[in-house]
Amino acid sequence: MTLLQVMAADNAADVRVRTTDDAVIGAELAEHGITFGRWPVVDGAAAVDSDALLAHYADAVAELNASGRYQHIDIARIHPDDTNPEWPEVAAGARAKFLNEHRHAEDEVRFFAAGRGCFYLHLGHEVLAVVCEGGDLLSVPAGTLHWFDMGTRPDFIAIRFFEEEDGWVGDFTGDRISEAFPTLDELLTAS
Ligand SMILES: [Fe+2]
């Protein structure tokens, strides 16, 4: 279930909002100029190959990209593979990549076709943790301080929209703020 948890930036224990109500999440994010939407999910998407998923969402993608702004649209996916002894290392490496605060020169636009991941948006005095699940579309505006946690058992399929080939390179701030906030796993187990 999609979840929004708003916390004070200087005190993660100061939880100001925690909701799974899509309408409240959308309104809260819209107040900050962040686009949040929902597209229908494909049943059993994890078993569908990426080309077929892109074909399935072609109309929605075309509508989102009506201006032609996004030059590169692809799918990123990661699924647990317990038959691979190296999987834990692969998972940890993938997770570590964007676990520290950074920003991008262009919007970070993601549609989760399946699975789950959490964007943490550091907006002034607050951090908004948005746990996205299958069906969620989120656009993190260019320049927004944020980090992303795919959890200890990464499992998601995301359609990604890029304006430039290298527009999504992370500019890391060096701030360790993310370490003070609940991880994706912790957010999901909190009551
Ligand atoms: Fe990012």
Side-chain angles (χ1 to χ4, degrees):
M1 193 174 285
T2 311
L3 168 75
L4 169 69
Q5 181 162 312
V6 181
M7 295 156 281
D10 60 357
N11 178 13
D14 179 359
V15 176
R16 296 167 176 183
V17 175
R18 181 177 164 94
T19 180
T20 55
D21 183 321
D22 279 354
V24 175
I25 293 171
E28 190 83 25
L29 293 175
E31 264 184 42
H32 295 279
I34 293 156
T35 303
F36 171 79
R38 291 199 50 90
W39 293 351
V41 289
V42 176
D43 282 341
V48 179
D49 76 43
S50 298
D51 286 345
L53 279 172
L54 279 173
H56 176 84
Y57 286 109
D59 289 348
V61 165
E63 193 180 334
L64 181 69
N65 196 29
S67 66
R69 174 181 176 185
Y70 304 110
Q71 298 292 312
H72 308 278
I73 297 169
D74 69 8
I75 282 194
R77 65 193 301 163
I78 184 165
H79 301 294
D81 179 4
D82 295 322
T83 65
N84 178 1
E86 287 168 19
W87 160 251
E89 203 180 318
V90 170
R95 183 184 181 214
K97 255 181 160 178
F98 293 104
L99 211 43
N100 287 315
E101 188 184 69
H102 63 279
R103 64 191 143 212
H104 305 284
E106 62 177 58
D107 296 357
E108 183 167 350
V109 186
R110 299 287 181 272
F111 168 69
F112 286 80
R116 178 187 284 148
C118 185
F119 281 97
Y120 297 77
L121 312 173
H122 182 188
L123 305 171
H125 299 301
E126 292 182 329
V127 168
L128 283 66
V130 190
V131 178
C132 293
E133 302 230 332
D136 290 340
L137 172 74
L138 186 75
S139 176
V140 180
T144 303
L145 297 174
H146 69 282
W147 63 95
F148 178 75
D149 186 8
M150 57 181 77
T152 53
R153 197 172 165 78
D155 188 6
F156 68 86
I157 304 173
I159 300 181
R160 311 185 296 182
F161 301 80
F162 303 104
E163 293 173 42
E164 306 281 346
E165 200 90 58
D166 62 353
W168 188 57
V169 172
D171 169 21
F172 287 84
T173 64
D175 191 321
R176 313 298 293 184
I177 182 172
S178 65
E179 294 170 2
F181 283 79
T183 62
L184 169 60
D185 295 42
E186 289 166 346
L187 278 171
L188 295 174
T189 53
S191 55

